[in-house]
Amino acid sequence: EIVLTQSPGTLSLSPGERVTLSCRASQSVSTSYLAWYQQKPGQPPRLLIYDASSRATGFPDRFSGSGSGTDFTLTISRLEPEDFAVYYCQYCGGSPFTFGGGTRVEIK
Amino acid sequence: EVQLLESGGGLVQPGGSLRLSCAVSGFTFTRYAMSWVRQAPGKGLEWVSTISSSGSDTYYTDSVKGRFTISRDNSKSTVYLQMNSLRAEDTAVYYCASGFRPMTSLSSLEYWGQGTLVTVSS
């Protein structure tokens, strides 16, 4: 079973700042099977990044994903007010299709 | 427009049963795996179960194996989650979600419903 560890748990930042979120896998993961989701309060998650680095429909290019092996990163180049949310990574290469614990990006 | 509409949630006593449904429209249901993901109050996301596009393959997280059953009716574009022997720790919002890539269960989750709340309490 692949375990995904996200860090930090919470980030307190100001609009305009650059943010880097980490997702570390307990064993090597193909980039084809690493996804990121954004979730805002009271809403379902939205697919943000698939295949570790491909942006899903509707998200601007300030969002980017990178990484390989066991270390993956979600970067928001310049935080906008609508980006404050919780971000989850997910392994989707086989059962169990585990999620990381999430990183909350909150307004400082 | 893609829509995933969950129903069937509610309050149930420990040991009881519920069947969740998720009616899908707006894409070719038969080409995509479907999943259930839950979120306990104030907690993170937990993958629960996935069913392949044909329905021939099913997958479950360990904590629900033997108690939950996922199924689909491709003629009705609906996926189900039969939940038996419910426990307090099953209390959560249950989301259904569709796979991003067609014809594979190994896929991220592109479309999500709004969720249905299941509360297990006496």
Side-chain angles (χ1 to χ4, degrees), chain A residues 37 39 44 51 88 92 95 97, chain B residues 39 44 47 101 106-107 109 113:
Chain A
Y37 301 84
Q39 188 179 32
D51 296 353
Y88 297 93
C92 49
S95 181
F97 299 91
Chain B
Q39 188 168 36
W47 169 77
R101 283 202 165 81
L106 308 185
S107 173
L109 301 173

Side-chain angles (χ1 to χ4, degrees), chain B:
Chain B
E1 180 189 8
V2 172
Q3 289 192 333
L4 287 75
L5 185 61
E6 300 102 336
S7 60
L11 175 64
V12 61
Q13 292 188 339
S17 298
L18 278 178
R19 188 176 85 152
L20 306 184
S21 300
C22 174
V24 171
S25 61
F27 65 90
T28 308
F29 181 75
T30 55
R31 288 174 55 81
Y32 293 90
M34 296 295 297
S35 297
W36 289 94
V37 175
R38 67 185 178 185
Q39 188 168 36
K43 302 297 185 182
L45 302 175
E46 180 184 22
W47 169 77
V48 174
S49 183
T50 294
I51 186 167
S52 62
S53 56
S54 67
S56 60
D57 297 308
T58 57
Y59 311 89
Y60 300 93
T61 191
D62 282 349
S63 64
V64 309
K65 282 180 184 174
R67 300 189 299 124
F68 290 11
T69 302
I70 191 170
S71 61
R72 63 191 294 159
D73 186 336
N74 282 351
S75 68
K76 295 182 178 179
S77 295
T78 300
V79 61
Y80 304 98
L81 187 68
Q82 177 67 44
M83 304 187 295
N84 299 331
S85 303
L86 282 160
R87 306 166 179 167
E89 55 264 36
D90 296 318
T91 294
V93 173
Y94 285 72
Y95 296 101
C96 72
S98 63
F100 172 70
R101 283 202 165 81
M103 309 309 290
T104 178
S105 297
L106 308 185
S107 173
S108 51
L109 301 173
E110 182 173 18
Y111 297 114
W112 296 66
Q114 290 297 312
T116 187
L117 176 62
V118 172
T119 304
V120 184
S121 175
S122 55

